Coordinates of all heavy atoms in Angstrom, one line a residue:
M815 N 112.6 58.5 164.5 CA 112.6 58.6 165.9 C 112.7 60.0 166.4 O 113.6 60.8 166.1 CB 113.9 57.9 166.4 CG 113.8 56.3 166.3 SD 112.7 55.6 167.5 CE 113.8 55.5 168.9
R816 N 111.7 60.4 167.1 CA 111.6 61.8 167.6 C 112.8 62.1 168.5 O 113.2 63.3 168.6 CB 110.3 62.0 168.4 CG 110.0 63.5 168.7 CD 108.8 63.6 169.6 NE 108.8 65.0 170.1 CZ 109.4 65.4 171.2 NH1 110.1 64.5 171.9 NH2 109.4 66.6 171.6
E817 N 113.3 61.1 169.2 CA 114.4 61.3 170.2 C 115.5 62.1 169.6 O 116.2 62.9 170.3 CB 115.0 60.0 170.5 CG 114.3 59.3 171.7 CD 115.0 58.0 172.0 OE1 115.9 57.6 171.4 OE2 114.5 57.3 172.9
Q818 N 115.8 61.9 168.3 CA 117.0 62.5 167.7 C 116.8 64.0 167.5 O 117.8 64.7 167.2 CB 117.3 61.8 166.4 CG 117.3 60.3 166.5 CD 118.6 59.7 166.1 OE1 119.4 60.3 165.4 NE2 118.9 58.4 166.4
K819 N 115.6 64.5 167.6 CA 115.3 65.9 167.3 C 115.3 66.7 168.5 O 115.3 68.0 168.4 CB 113.9 66.0 166.6 CG 113.8 65.2 165.4 CD 114.6 65.7 164.2 CE 114.2 64.9 163.0 NZ 115.2 65.0 161.9
I820 N 115.3 66.1 169.7 CA 115.2 66.9 170.9 C 116.4 67.6 171.3 O 117.5 67.3 170.8 CB 114.7 66.0 172.1 CG1 115.8 65.0 172.5 CG2 113.4 65.3 171.8 CD1 115.5 64.3 173.8
T821 N 116.3 68.6 172.1 CA 117.5 69.4 172.6 C 118.0 68.7 173.8 O 117.3 67.9 174.5 CB 117.1 70.8 172.9 OG1 116.1 70.8 174.0 CG2 116.5 71.5 171.7
L822 N 119.2 69.1 174.2 CA 119.8 68.5 175.5 C 118.9 69.0 176.7 O 118.8 68.2 177.6 CB 121.2 69.0 175.6 CG 122.2 68.3 174.6 CD1 123.5 69.0 174.7 CD2 122.3 66.9 175.0
G823 N 118.4 70.1 176.6 CA 117.5 70.6 177.7 C 116.3 69.7 177.9 O 115.9 69.3 179.0
E824 N 115.7 69.4 176.7 CA 114.5 68.5 176.8 C 114.9 67.1 177.3 O 114.2 66.4 178.0 CB 113.9 68.4 175.4 CG 113.1 69.6 175.0 CD 112.8 69.7 173.6 OE1 113.4 69.1 172.7 OE2 111.8 70.5 173.2
M825 N 116.0 66.6 176.8 CA 116.5 65.3 177.3 C 116.7 65.3 178.8 O 116.3 64.4 179.5 CB 117.9 65.0 176.6 CG 118.4 63.7 177.1 SD 120.1 63.4 176.6 CE 121.1 64.3 177.8
R826 N 117.3 66.4 179.3 CA 117.6 66.4 180.8 C 116.3 66.5 181.6 O 116.2 66.0 182.7 CB 118.6 67.6 181.1 CG 120.0 67.3 180.6 CD 121.0 68.2 181.1 NE 121.2 69.4 180.3 CZ 122.3 69.6 179.5 NH1 123.3 68.8 179.5 NH2 122.3 70.7 178.8
E827 N 115.3 67.2 181.0 CA 114.0 67.3 181.7 C 113.4 65.9 181.8 O 112.7 65.6 182.8 CB 113.1 68.2 180.9 CG 113.2 69.6 181.3 CD 112.3 70.5 180.4 OE1 111.4 70.0 179.9 OE2 112.7 71.7 180.3
S828 N 113.6 65.1 180.8 CA 113.0 63.7 180.9 C 113.8 62.7 181.6 O 113.5 61.6 181.7 CB 112.7 63.3 179.5 OG 113.9 63.0 178.7
G829 N 115.0 63.1 182.1 CA 115.8 62.2 183.0 C 117.2 62.0 182.6 O 118.1 62.3 183.5
P830 N 117.6 61.6 181.4 CA 119.0 61.3 181.1 C 119.9 62.5 181.2 O 119.4 63.6 180.7 CB 118.9 60.7 179.7 CG 117.5 60.3 179.5 CD 116.7 61.3 180.3
T831 N 121.1 62.3 181.6 CA 122.1 63.4 181.6 C 123.2 63.0 180.7 O 124.1 63.8 180.4 CB 122.6 63.7 183.0 OG1 123.2 62.5 183.6 CG2 121.5 64.2 183.9
R832 N 123.3 61.7 180.3 CA 124.4 61.3 179.5 C 123.9 60.9 178.1 O 122.7 60.7 177.9 CB 125.1 60.1 180.2 CG 125.4 60.4 181.6 CD 126.3 59.3 182.2 NE 127.7 59.4 181.8 CZ 128.5 58.4 181.7 NH1 128.1 57.2 182.0 NH2 129.8 58.6 181.4
L833 N 124.9 60.8 177.2 CA 124.6 60.5 175.8 C 125.3 59.2 175.4 O 126.5 59.0 175.9 CB 125.0 61.6 174.9 CG 124.4 63.0 175.2 CD1 125.2 64.1 174.5 CD2 122.9 63.0 174.6
L834 N 124.7 58.4 174.6 CA 125.4 57.3 173.9 C 125.7 57.7 172.5 O 124.8 58.1 171.8 CB 124.5 56.1 174.0 CG 124.6 55.1 175.1 CD1 123.6 54.0 175.0 CD2 126.0 54.6 175.3
V835 N 127.0 57.5 172.1 CA 127.4 57.9 170.8 C 127.8 56.6 170.1 O 128.7 55.9 170.6 CB 128.6 58.9 170.9 CG1 129.1 59.3 169.5 CG2 128.3 60.1 171.7
F836 N 127.2 56.4 168.9 CA 127.5 55.2 168.2 C 128.2 55.6 166.9 O 127.7 56.5 166.2 CB 126.2 54.4 167.8 CG 125.4 53.9 168.9 CD1 124.4 54.7 169.5 CD2 125.7 52.6 169.4 CE1 123.7 54.2 170.6 CE2 124.9 52.1 170.5 CZ 124.0 52.9 171.1
C837 N 129.2 54.8 166.5 CA 129.8 55.0 165.1 C 128.7 54.7 164.1 O 128.0 53.7 164.2 CB 131.0 54.0 165.0 SG 131.8 54.2 163.4
Q838 N 128.7 55.5 163.0 CA 127.7 55.3 162.0 C 128.1 54.2 161.0 O 127.3 53.8 160.2 CB 127.4 56.6 161.2 CG 126.5 57.5 161.9 CD 126.3 58.8 161.2 OE1 127.1 59.2 160.3 NE2 125.3 59.6 161.6
D839 N 129.3 53.7 161.1 CA 129.8 52.6 160.3 C 129.4 51.3 161.0 O 129.9 51.0 162.1 CB 131.3 52.7 160.1 CG 131.8 51.6 159.2 OD1 131.1 50.6 159.0 OD2 132.9 51.8 158.6
F840 N 128.4 50.6 160.4 CA 127.8 49.5 161.1 C 128.8 48.3 161.3 O 128.6 47.5 162.1 CB 126.5 49.0 160.4 CG 126.8 48.4 159.0 CD1 127.0 47.0 158.9 CD2 126.8 49.2 157.9 CE1 127.2 46.5 157.7 CE2 127.1 48.6 156.7 CZ 127.3 47.3 156.5
R841 N 129.8 48.3 160.4 CA 130.8 47.3 160.6 C 131.7 47.5 161.8 O 132.3 46.6 162.3 CB 131.7 47.2 159.3 CG 131.0 46.7 158.1 CD 131.8 47.0 156.9 NE 132.0 48.5 156.7 CZ 132.6 49.0 155.7 NH1 133.2 48.3 154.8 NH2 132.8 50.4 155.7
C842 N 131.7 48.7 162.2 CA 132.5 49.1 163.4 C 131.7 49.1 164.7 O 132.0 48.3 165.6 CB 133.1 50.5 163.2 SG 133.9 51.2 164.6
A843 N 130.6 49.8 164.7 CA 129.6 49.8 165.7 C 130.2 50.2 167.1 O 129.7 49.7 168.1 CB 128.9 48.5 165.8
H844 N 131.3 50.9 167.1 CA 131.9 51.3 168.3 C 130.9 52.3 169.0 O 130.3 53.1 168.4 CB 133.2 52.1 168.0 CG 134.0 52.5 169.2 ND1 134.6 51.7 170.1 CD2 134.2 53.8 169.7 CE1 135.2 52.4 171.1 NE2 135.0 53.7 170.8
S845 N 130.8 52.2 170.3 CA 130.0 53.1 171.0 C 130.6 53.6 172.3 O 131.5 52.9 172.9 CB 128.6 52.5 171.3 OG 128.7 51.5 172.3
V846 N 130.3 54.8 172.7 CA 130.8 55.3 173.9 C 129.8 56.2 174.6 O 128.9 56.8 174.0 CB 132.1 56.2 173.6 CG1 131.8 57.3 172.7 CG2 132.8 56.6 174.8
A847 N 129.8 56.2 175.9 CA 128.9 57.0 176.7 C 129.6 58.3 177.1 O 130.8 58.2 177.6 CB 128.4 56.3 178.0
I848 N 129.0 59.4 176.9 CA 129.6 60.7 177.3 C 128.7 61.5 178.2 O 127.4 61.3 178.2 CB 130.0 61.5 176.1 CG1 128.8 61.8 175.2 CG2 131.1 60.8 175.3 CD1 129.1 62.9 174.2
D849 N 129.2 62.4 178.9 CA 128.5 63.3 179.7 C 127.9 64.5 178.8 O 128.6 65.0 178.1 CB 129.4 63.9 180.8 CG 128.7 64.0 182.1 OD1 127.6 64.6 182.1 OD2 129.3 63.6 183.1
G850 N 126.6 64.8 179.0 CA 126.0 65.8 178.2 C 126.3 67.2 178.8 O 125.9 68.2 178.2
D851 N 126.9 67.3 179.9 CA 127.1 68.6 180.6 C 127.9 69.6 179.8 O 127.8 70.8 180.0 CB 127.8 68.4 181.9 CG 126.9 67.7 182.9 OD1 125.7 67.5 182.6 OD2 127.4 67.4 184.0
A852 N 128.7 69.1 178.8 CA 129.5 70.0 178.1 C 128.8 70.9 177.1 O 129.3 71.9 176.7 CB 130.5 69.2 177.3
W853 N 127.5 70.6 176.9 CA 126.7 71.4 175.9 C 125.5 72.0 176.6 O 124.9 71.4 177.5 CB 126.2 70.6 174.7 CG 127.4 70.0 174.0 CD1 128.1 70.7 173.0 CD2 128.0 68.7 174.0 NE1 129.1 69.9 172.5 CE2 129.1 68.7 173.1 CE3 127.7 67.6 174.8 CZ2 129.8 67.6 172.9 CZ3 128.5 66.5 174.6 CH2 129.5 66.5 173.7
P854 N 125.1 73.3 176.2 CA 124.0 74.0 176.8 C 122.6 73.4 176.3 O 122.6 72.6 175.4 CB 124.2 75.4 176.3 CG 125.0 75.3 175.1 CD 125.9 74.1 175.2
D855 N 121.6 73.8 177.1 CA 120.3 73.2 176.8 C 119.7 73.4 175.4 O 118.9 72.5 175.0 CB 119.3 73.8 177.8 CG 119.4 73.3 179.2 OD1 120.2 72.3 179.4 OD2 118.8 73.8 180.2
H856 N 120.1 74.4 174.7 CA 119.4 74.7 173.4 C 120.0 73.9 172.3 O 119.5 73.8 171.2 CB 119.5 76.2 173.1 CG 120.9 76.6 172.8 ND1 121.8 77.1 173.8 CD2 121.6 76.6 171.6 CE1 122.9 77.4 173.2 NE2 122.9 77.1 171.9
V857 N 121.1 73.1 172.6 CA 121.7 72.4 171.5 C 120.9 71.1 171.2 O 120.5 70.4 172.1 CB 123.2 72.0 171.9 CG1 123.8 71.0 170.9 CG2 124.0 73.2 172.1
R858 N 120.6 70.9 169.9 CA 119.9 69.6 169.6 C 120.9 68.5 169.5 O 122.0 68.6 169.1 CB 119.3 69.8 168.2 CG 118.1 70.7 168.2 CD 117.4 70.8 166.9 NE 116.4 71.8 166.9 CZ 115.2 71.7 167.4 NH1 114.9 70.5 167.9 NH2 114.4 72.7 167.5
I859 N 120.4 67.3 170.0 CA 121.2 66.1 169.9 C 121.7 65.8 168.5 O 122.8 65.5 168.3 CB 120.4 64.9 170.5 CG1 120.3 65.1 172.0 CG2 121.1 63.6 170.2 CD1 119.5 64.1 172.7
S860 N 120.8 66.1 167.5 CA 121.2 65.8 166.2 C 122.3 66.7 165.7 O 123.0 66.4 164.7 CB 119.9 65.9 165.2 OG 119.3 67.1 165.4
D861 N 122.4 67.9 166.3 CA 123.4 68.9 165.9 C 124.8 68.4 166.4 O 125.8 68.8 165.8 CB 123.2 70.2 166.6 CG 122.0 71.0 166.0 OD1 121.6 70.6 164.9 OD2 121.6 71.9 166.6
L862 N 124.9 67.5 167.3 CA 126.1 67.0 167.8 C 126.7 65.9 166.9 O 127.9 65.6 166.9 CB 126.0 66.4 169.2 CG 125.5 67.4 170.3 CD1 125.3 66.6 171.6 CD2 126.6 68.5 170.5
E863 N 125.8 65.2 166.2 CA 126.2 64.0 165.5 C 127.4 64.2 164.5 O 128.3 63.4 164.5 CB 125.0 63.4 164.8 CG 124.0 62.9 165.8 CD 122.8 62.2 165.2 OE1 122.4 62.5 164.0 OE2 122.1 61.4 165.9
P864 N 127.4 65.3 163.7 CA 128.5 65.5 162.8 C 129.8 65.8 163.5 O 130.9 65.8 162.8 CB 128.1 66.6 161.9 CG 126.7 67.0 162.3 CD 126.4 66.4 163.6
K865 N 129.8 66.1 164.8 CA 131.0 66.6 165.5 C 131.9 65.5 165.9 O 133.0 65.7 166.3 CB 130.6 67.5 166.7 CG 129.8 68.7 166.3 CD 129.5 69.5 167.6 CE 128.5 70.6 167.4 NZ 129.0 71.6 166.5
F866 N 131.3 64.3 166.0 CA 132.1 63.2 166.5 C 132.9 62.4 165.4 O 132.4 62.2 164.3 CB 131.2 62.2 167.2 CG 130.6 62.7 168.5 CD1 129.3 63.2 168.5 CD2 131.4 62.7 169.6 CE1 128.8 63.7 169.7 CE2 130.8 63.2 170.8 CZ 129.5 63.7 170.8
T867 N 134.1 62.0 165.8 CA 134.9 61.1 165.0 C 135.1 59.9 165.8 O 135.5 59.9 167.0 CB 136.3 61.8 164.7 OG1 136.0 63.0 163.9 CG2 137.1 60.9 163.8
C868 N 134.9 58.7 165.2 CA 135.0 57.5 165.9 C 136.5 57.2 166.3 O 137.4 57.4 165.5 CB 134.6 56.3 165.0 SG 134.7 54.7 165.8
Q869 N 136.6 56.9 167.6 CA 138.0 56.6 168.1 C 138.5 55.3 167.7 O 139.7 55.0 167.8 CB 138.0 56.7 169.6 CG 137.7 58.2 170.1 CD 137.5 58.3 171.6 OE1 137.2 57.3 172.3 NE2 137.6 59.5 172.1
A870 N 137.6 54.4 167.2 CA 138.1 53.1 166.8 C 138.5 53.0 165.3 O 139.5 52.4 165.0 CB 137.0 52.1 167.1
C871 N 137.6 53.6 164.5 CA 137.9 53.5 163.0 C 138.1 54.8 162.3 O 138.5 54.8 161.1 CB 136.7 52.7 162.4 SG 135.2 53.7 162.2
G872 N 137.9 55.9 163.0 CA 138.2 57.2 162.4 C 137.0 57.8 161.5 O 137.2 58.8 160.9
H873 N 135.9 57.1 161.5 CA 134.7 57.5 160.7 C 134.2 58.8 161.3 O 134.1 58.9 162.5 CB 133.7 56.4 160.8 CG 132.4 56.8 160.0 ND1 132.3 56.5 158.6 CD2 131.3 57.4 160.3 CE1 131.1 56.9 158.2 NE2 130.5 57.4 159.2
R874 N 133.9 59.8 160.5 CA 133.3 61.0 160.9 C 131.8 60.9 160.9 O 131.2 60.5 160.0 CB 133.8 62.2 160.0 CG 135.2 62.7 160.4 CD 135.4 64.0 159.7 NE 134.6 65.1 160.3 CZ 135.0 65.8 161.3 NH1 136.1 65.7 161.8 NH2 134.2 66.8 161.7
G875 N 131.2 61.4 162.0 CA 129.8 61.4 162.1 C 129.3 60.2 163.0 O 129.9 59.1 162.9
A876 N 128.3 60.4 163.9 CA 127.9 59.4 164.8 C 126.4 59.5 165.0 O 125.8 60.5 164.7 CB 128.6 59.6 166.1
D877 N 125.8 58.4 165.5 CA 124.5 58.5 166.0 C 124.5 58.8 167.5 O 125.2 58.1 168.2 CB 123.8 57.1 165.8 CG 123.4 56.9 164.3 OD1 123.1 57.9 163.6 OD2 123.5 55.8 163.9
V878 N 123.8 59.8 167.9 CA 123.8 60.2 169.3 C 122.4 60.0 169.8 O 121.4 60.5 169.2 CB 124.2 61.6 169.5 CG1 124.3 62.0 170.9 CG2 125.6 61.8 168.8
R879 N 122.2 59.4 171.0 CA 120.9 59.3 171.6 C 121.0 59.4 173.1 O 122.1 59.1 173.7 CB 120.2 58.0 171.1 CG 121.0 56.8 171.4 CD 120.3 55.6 170.6 NE 120.5 55.7 169.2 CZ 120.4 54.7 168.3 NH1 120.0 53.5 168.8 NH2 120.6 54.9 167.0
P880 N 119.9 59.7 173.8 CA 120.0 59.8 175.2 C 120.3 58.4 175.8 O 119.8 57.4 175.3 CB 118.6 60.3 175.6 CG 118.0 60.9 174.4 CD 118.6 60.1 173.2
M881 N 121.0 58.4 176.9 CA 121.3 57.2 177.6 C 120.4 57.1 178.8 O 120.5 57.8 179.8 CB 122.8 57.2 178.1 CG 123.2 55.9 178.7 SD 125.0 56.0 179.0 CE 125.1 54.8 180.4
F882 N 119.4 56.2 178.7 CA 118.5 56.0 179.8 C 119.1 55.0 180.8 O 119.3 53.9 180.4 CB 117.1 55.5 179.2 CG 116.4 56.5 178.5 CD1 116.5 56.6 177.1 CD2 115.6 57.4 179.1 CE1 115.8 57.6 176.4 CE2 114.9 58.4 178.5 CZ 115.0 58.5 177.1
E883 N 119.3 55.5 181.9 CA 119.9 54.7 183.0 C 118.9 53.8 183.5 O 117.7 54.1 183.6 CB 120.4 55.6 184.1 CG 121.2 56.7 183.7 CD 122.7 56.5 183.7 OE1 123.1 55.4 184.1 OE2 123.5 57.4 183.4
P884 N 119.3 52.6 183.9 CA 118.3 51.7 184.6 C 117.8 52.4 185.9 O 118.5 53.0 186.5 CB 119.1 50.5 185.0 CG 120.4 50.5 184.2 CD 120.6 52.0 183.9
A885 N 116.5 52.2 186.1 CA 115.9 52.9 187.3 C 116.6 52.3 188.5 O 116.8 51.1 188.6 CB 114.4 52.6 187.3
R886 N 116.8 53.2 189.5 CA 117.4 52.7 190.7 C 116.4 52.8 191.9 O 116.7 53.5 192.8 CB 118.7 53.6 191.0 CG 119.8 53.4 190.0 CD 121.1 53.7 190.5 NE 122.1 53.7 189.5 CZ 122.5 54.8 188.8 NH1 122.0 56.0 189.1 NH2 123.4 54.7 187.8
M887 N 115.3 52.2 191.7 CA 114.3 52.1 192.7 C 114.7 51.0 193.7 O 115.1 49.9 193.2 CB 112.9 51.9 192.2 CG 112.6 52.8 191.0 SD 112.3 54.4 191.4 CE 110.6 54.3 191.9
G888 N 114.6 51.2 194.9 CA 115.2 50.3 195.9 C 114.8 48.9 195.9 O 115.5 48.0 195.5
T889 N 113.5 48.6 196.3 CA 113.2 47.2 196.7 C 113.0 46.2 195.6 O 112.5 46.6 194.5 CB 111.9 47.2 197.6 OG1 110.9 47.8 196.8 CG2 112.1 48.1 198.8
D890 N 113.3 45.0 195.8 CA 112.9 43.9 194.9 C 111.4 43.6 195.2 O 111.0 43.4 196.3 CB 113.7 42.6 195.2 CG 115.2 42.8 194.8 OD1 115.4 43.8 194.1 OD2 116.0 41.9 195.1
A891 N 110.7 43.4 194.1 CA 109.3 43.1 194.3 C 109.1 41.6 194.6 O 108.9 41.2 195.7 CB 108.5 43.3 193.0
Ligands
ZN1467 ZN1 133.9 53.4 164.1

């Protein structure tokens, strides 16, 4: 997945400003949404992955991906 290689700057250019962080332990699968504002544009999303520790099970390392918000276009078709 090319997504994992992009920088936060590239992510923000394509829309998302938040990140979804998943525990790498599939038995746990805890996930949390965080704000990407804490990191500058040149940081790669994949560089963040080793920095997280799961708050549910204590596993070090996470899968991080952009959080695509549902489009908020007004009218019902
Ligand atoms: Zn976990």
Side-chain angles (χ1 to χ4, degrees):
M815 289 287 278
R816 188 186 168 275
E817 271 181 4
Q818 308 236 347
K819 307 287 187 197
I820 67 172
T821 63
L822 287 170
E824 288 166 336
M825 178 191 82
R826 288 192 271 253
E827 272 174 25
S828 66
T831 59
R832 309 188 80 207
L833 299 164
L834 268 177
V835 181
F836 296 91
C837 180
Q838 280 178 345
D839 186 335
F840 68 93
R841 290 165 300 181
C842 170
H844 182 69
S845 69
V846 62
I848 58 164
D849 218 313
D851 289 353
W853 297 281
D855 285 352
H856 69 270
V857 175
R858 287 181 190 282
I859 289 175
S860 56
D861 289 345
L862 298 176
E863 293 182 336
K865 298 182 193 296
F866 289 99
T867 299
C868 179
Q869 292 171 344
C871 75
H873 183 86
R874 280 194 66 94
D877 287 323
V878 182
R879 54 193 73 162
M881 182 171 156
F882 290 93
E883 313 264 2
R886 294 203 190 95
M887 312 286 278
T889 58
D890 289 351

